[in-house]
Amino acid sequence: DTSLAEVNSFSPSMPISPSSMINQYKFEDEPELRDLFITVDDPESHITAIETFITYRVVTKTSRGEFDSSEYEVRRRYQDFLWLKSKLEEAHPTLIIPPLPEKFIMKGMVERFSDEFIETRRKALHKFLNRIADHPTLTFNEDFKIFLTAQAWELSSHKKQGPSLLSRMGQTVRAVASSVRGGVKNRPEMFTEMNDYMETFSQKISVLDKIAHRIYKEEREYLNEMKEYGPIYTLWSASEEDIADSLKGVASCIDKCCKATEKRMAGLSENLLPILHEYVLYSEILMGVLKRRDQIQGELDSKVDALANKKTEKDLFSEEIGKLEDKVECANNALKADWDRWKQNMQCDMRSAFTNVAENNLHYYEE
């Protein structure tokens, strides 16, 4: 673009900054009329004789008719978010449910109850609920509404009505066993392409995630070395009168480099690392969704084979096959629509994250 080429890239008065472009993208991608706003904030520690855990305040504001009030405030712990995710997966097996942050964190990163860890988790839980709120189908799920509105005792009572943990585990084991038995014979080409895409995406996003963490670690080591290095020049200037001003100038430069590096690291930890890691988790979720779709298809294929081999009970089998065909079609349509939506969101998120990093790097080198 010649208009960009004419601008001095080191000039702070650049007419169109990447961040303004990001805001433009975000503005265009947002729905025109939102009627559900959710905030996750105010983490609070709870210490009992059995366990220590954190709860978060979830504030919901809405203009939807199905809600009895326009504003709700409840407190939720991580286990409640896990329950919601499992209920959404159970109700919508071939929709792409947003990922939750992991229960256990990588060793050596941050302490489990440190302020940094709690804030990182709060942001991830906030994003999880807002991604559900923005989803055209998940946003109207009854369990989601209960999660946002029910008081702690009501939610606890509602949880007891669902299937037990062992029952859910049994379903998962059966689903995995079914998908491992063999490939689906009549899988449409589109879903084979999706599967191939996700295998490649999973590998690439994992590599990007590792590289980003390595860069962050190297930046942190560099910052720590500069913090030790700067004061040496200040001490040295006290014993060298002739070059004292020059030595103090070098110390001041190192201090400025420290501040610029801290800003750059903040940009990485806020704009890049969470997005990359979220999509590492998304890649696992999508592979699971594709397996569940294959499981539904496999169930239909086995019934069709059974009907071909049996001359009796044809009416009963035909009825079951009709229901399974409807189930497969619903699963396929749900996944197709969600796939296009997910890819669009992913591309927008990646573009935004990398443009932010590029802009942060420009400011860093200018400083």
Side-chain angles (χ1 to χ4, degrees):
D1 187 336
T2 52
S3 64
L4 286 178
E6 286 165 7
V7 177
N8 177 1
S9 29
F10 295 103
S11 163
S13 59
M14 218 172 149
I16 299 174
S17 73
S19 62
S20 66
M21 288 163 65
I22 290 162
N23 291 334
Q24 190 183 334
Y25 286 135
K26 283 180 178 171
F27 183 76
E28 284 170 0
D29 288 339
E30 280 176 3
E32 284 179 18
L33 295 169
R34 285 189 66 188
D35 55 7
L36 187 63
F37 297 87
I38 304 165
T39 310
V40 178
D41 61 11
D42 191 26
E44 201 176 90
S45 295
H46 301 262
I47 300 167
T48 67
I50 304 168
E51 60 179 343
T52 301
F53 59 93
I54 310 287
T55 63
Y56 300 86
R57 181 174 67 173
V58 178
V59 177
T60 305
K61 294 181 181 180
T62 183
S63 56
R64 288 186 188 172
E66 66 264 28
F67 286 83
D68 298 328
S69 172
S70 61
E71 192 167 334
Y72 295 88
E73 183 180 311
V74 294
R75 293 203 74 85
R76 297 287 180 253
R77 57 184 294 186
Y78 182 77
Q79 285 180 358
D80 300 327
F81 286 87
L82 273 179
W83 169 83
L84 173 61
K85 186 171 182 287
S86 72
K87 293 300 281 183
L88 291 172
E89 284 174 349
E90 192 181 301
H92 310 281
T94 56
L95 287 182
I96 303 164
I97 313 297
L100 272 174
E102 298 98 328
K103 187 170 176 65
F104 302 106
I105 55 171
M106 283 162 53
K107 216 172 179 182
M109 285 298 285
V110 283
E111 292 299 317
R112 189 179 162 206
F113 292 112
S114 71
D115 291 344
E116 186 189 349
F117 171 72
I118 291 168
E119 178 57 14
T120 301
R121 173 167 279 186
R122 182 201 67 75
K123 284 179 181 173
L125 296 175
H126 175 87
K127 185 177 266 192
F128 169 72
L129 291 183
N130 278 280
R131 287 215 189 266
I132 295 169
D134 289 340
H135 193 283
T137 304
L138 300 177
T139 188
F140 297 108
N141 178 276
E142 189 60 26
D143 289 304
F144 181 48
K145 181 186 166 189
I146 288 163
F147 176 90
L148 296 176
T149 59
Q151 291 307 311
W153 64 270
E154 292 175 298
L155 183 66
S156 180
S157 166
H158 183 73
K159 279 183 179 180
K160 287 170 187 169
Q161 295 170 19
S164 68
L165 177 64
L166 289 172
S167 159
R168 287 205 305 274
M169 282 173 68
Q171 287 167 11
T172 308
V173 168
R174 282 198 297 277
V176 171
S178 169
S179 64
V180 168
R181 276 187 211 122
V184 180
K185 286 186 294 185
N186 300 315
R187 182 204 274 163
E189 183 63 28
M190 180 188 181
F191 298 108
T192 303
E193 285 171 10
M194 271 189 205
N195 204 66
D196 295 344
Y197 180 96
M198 282 317 301
E199 282 178 4
T200 307
F201 178 85
S202 178
Q203 290 166 5
K204 290 189 176 184
I205 203 75
S206 295
V207 170
L208 279 172
D209 186 50
K210 284 173 188 166
I211 290 170
H213 275 94
R214 192 176 73 221
I215 289 169
Y216 186 81
K217 188 184 169 201
E218 286 171 2
E219 287 286 308
R220 189 170 54 200
E221 288 167 359
Y222 172 58
L223 178 66
N224 291 338
E225 284 180 9
M226 279 199 295
K227 282 182 174 175
E228 290 175 12
Y229 187 51
I232 293 169
Y233 282 88
T234 309
L235 292 168
W236 187 8
S237 68
S239 59
E240 293 278 2
E241 285 181 23
D242 294 344
I243 54 169
D245 290 343
S246 299
L247 293 170
K248 282 177 185 172
V250 173
S252 171
C253 283
I254 293 170
D255 184 52
K256 282 178 186 170
C257 286
C258 282
K259 285 173 183 167
T261 303
E262 279 175 337
K263 266 197 241 171
R264 189 189 198 187
M265 287 172 67
L268 284 171
S269 66
E270 286 169 22
N271 300 321
L272 184 66
L273 298 181
I275 292 289
L276 290 177
H277 193 63
E278 184 185 15
Y279 279 96
V280 168
L281 300 177
Y282 255 129
S283 66
E284 294 167 12
I285 286 166
L286 269 147
M287 293 305 279
V289 169
L290 286 163
K291 274 185 183 171
R292 286 197 288 275
R293 195 222 70 86
D294 284 354
Q295 187 202 356
I296 296 167
Q297 176 92 52
E299 207 179 332
L300 172 63
D301 291 347
S302 66
K303 288 285 180 194
V304 170
D305 289 346
L307 179 63
N309 296 331
K310 284 191 177 183
K311 288 175 184 175
T312 56
E313 302 173 352
K314 274 202 171 185
D315 292 342
L316 179 65
F317 267 102
S318 297
E319 192 181 332
E320 280 187 39
I321 285 168
K323 285 179 184 172
L324 281 169
E325 281 172 345
D326 290 344
K327 196 176 173 185
V328 169
E329 192 174 347
C330 286
N332 288 351
N333 290 338
L335 181 50
K336 274 180 206 170
D338 235 16
W339 172 257
D340 292 337
R341 189 176 173 279
W342 176 82
K343 271 185 87 173
Q344 193 178 355
N345 283 346
M346 180 268 289
Q347 286 162 0
C348 185
D349 286 344
M350 290 295 164
R351 179 175 60 209
S352 172
F354 284 111
T355 311
N356 265 318
V357 170
E359 189 174 39
N360 284 340
N361 283 346
L362 280 171
H363 291 319
Y364 170 77
Y365 287 113
E366 281 167 6
E367 286 180 42

